[in-house]
Amino acid sequence: MLGVPDLPTYLAAVVLIVLLPGPNSLYVLSVASRRGIAEGYKAACGVFTGDTVLMVLAAVGAGALLQASPVLFTAVKVLGVGYLGWLAVGMMRAAWGMWRTRGDRHEEPVAAEEPAGAAERPYRRALLVSLFNPKAILFLLSFFVQFVDPGYAYPALSFLLLGTVSQLISLLYLSTLIFAGTRLSAAFRRHKRLSAGATSAAGVIFLGFAAKLAVG
């Protein structure tokens, strides 16, 4: 169909890949648990936008360009490491703030939480996390071409079909994380130690992603 000879195998592969925890999905879960459904979907939209850009770049051969230019690849990689590290430090600082106020039972004011949500800008952060991952372009390029019939007259349609299927599966998965995250948010508001622990754990994981990208 549309130059994709083995769509069922592609579907199974995409499901497995999407289910693997990564910085994008963890960030969406973190935002949803702290800020609610609307903010969670803002972060998810950032992921979708970033993934779409990477898919388009992969389709037009940007992956080959990065592979052929070690300097460009290294530059983008350094930016990605720095940004993931910056996010991790921000999460740990937020966790420390929660820990310091753990004895304060007088929470609530949603108004007090709104400025933090506005300052965080989930869409922009999620978009940058997606874009500053050069390995994603190389992966998408090498992954997609396995499912495109080289003899098909309109390969752009094949890439469009593969990308659309991938985004739909990602949407279902991130929606699950968002609604699961909002269920956790009530517990986080009641128990600041739990919130601080979860946020600091996310920060440590993001540091791990940065380290993995740096040495990989």
Side-chain angles (χ1 to χ4, degrees):
M1 184 172 68
L2 294 178
V4 180
D6 195 357
L7 189 57
T9 300
Y10 173 75
L11 285 172
V14 169
V15 169
L16 290 175
I17 291 167
V18 168
L19 289 178
L20 290 174
N24 290 338
S25 58
L26 283 175
Y27 181 66
V28 171
L29 177 60
S30 171
V31 170
S33 65
R34 291 180 288 111
R35 313 304 312 168
I37 292 176
E39 295 296 305
Y41 270 109
K42 285 182 183 179
C45 286
V47 173
F48 298 144
T49 304
D51 286 351
T52 299
V53 171
L54 294 180
M55 287 175 186
V56 171
L57 290 175
V60 298
L65 173 63
L66 286 179
Q67 215 165 19
S69 176
V71 174
L72 179 58
F73 181 85
T74 301
V76 178
K77 186 175 177 179
V78 168
L79 287 173
V81 170
Y83 191 72
L84 287 174
W86 181 75
L87 277 181
V89 170
M91 289 181 177
M92 290 178 177
R93 290 179 62 187
W96 175 244
M98 294 174 196
W99 181 259
R100 290 179 61 186
T101 59
R102 64 189 182 280
D104 185 4
R105 298 291 178 188
H106 221 59
E107 300 151 52
E108 254 8 285
V110 175
E113 293 193 358
E114 281 308 315
E120 186 172 354
R121 296 177 182 171
Y123 175 84
R124 188 177 70 175
R125 285 196 176 188
L127 174 62
L128 291 175
V129 169
S130 293
L131 292 179
F132 285 145
N133 187 1
K135 288 187 175 181
I137 304 177
L138 297 173
F139 169 76
L140 287 171
L141 185 66
S142 60
F143 180 63
F144 278 5
V145 295
Q146 300 177 52
F147 298 95
V148 175
D149 182 358
Y152 186 62
Y154 306 101
L157 291 179
S158 303
F159 277 103
L160 178 62
L161 173 61
L162 295 174
T164 300
V165 169
S166 177
Q167 292 288 59
L168 287 175
I169 293 174
S170 180
L171 172 62
L172 291 174
Y173 177 60
L174 291 180
S175 294
T176 301
L177 292 183
I178 288 169
F179 284 97
T182 53
R183 287 180 174 265
L184 293 173
S185 64
F188 285 161
R189 290 192 186 98
R190 288 194 303 269
H191 306 287
K192 286 193 174 182
R193 290 183 182 180
L194 174 63
S195 183
T199 303
S200 59
V204 170
I205 292 172
F206 267 66
L207 275 181
F209 287 130
K212 184 177 179 181
L213 181 60
V215 301

